[in-house]
Amino acid sequence: MTGRAIATASVGSSAPTGLTQAERRLARYGRNEVAPPPPAPIHQRVPAQLRDPLSPQGALSRPSS
């Protein structure tokens, strides 16, 4: 038995079904991504846009590096 066969047998997996297991998990749980941060509340956006009307987020935007 090769090292790969031993490794897959020890975790209860097989090479042909590995991709289908991953596809099932993807369908059930979705992608492994971090959710985007929520938008700033309206009570912060309005004053920022009044201070700097040409900027999409006003003073709340991050300074560029």
Side-chain angles (χ1 to χ4, degrees):
M1 209 180 239
T2 65
R4 175 179 253 170
I6 293 170
T8 57
S10 67
V11 294
S13 179
S14 64
T17 62
L19 184 57
T20 58
Q21 289 174 0
E23 290 169 343
R24 276 195 304 254
R25 280 192 229 108
L26 179 62
R28 182 173 181 178
Y29 301 113
R31 295 179 55 87
N32 186 14
E33 294 178 338
V34 176
I42 190 79
H43 68 275
Q44 290 178 349
R45 284 186 292 177
V46 170
Q49 288 177 349
L50 291 174
R51 282 192 298 271
D52 189 2
L54 297 179
S55 175
Q57 295 178 338
L60 296 179
S61 61
R62 294 182 178 170
S64 60
S65 303

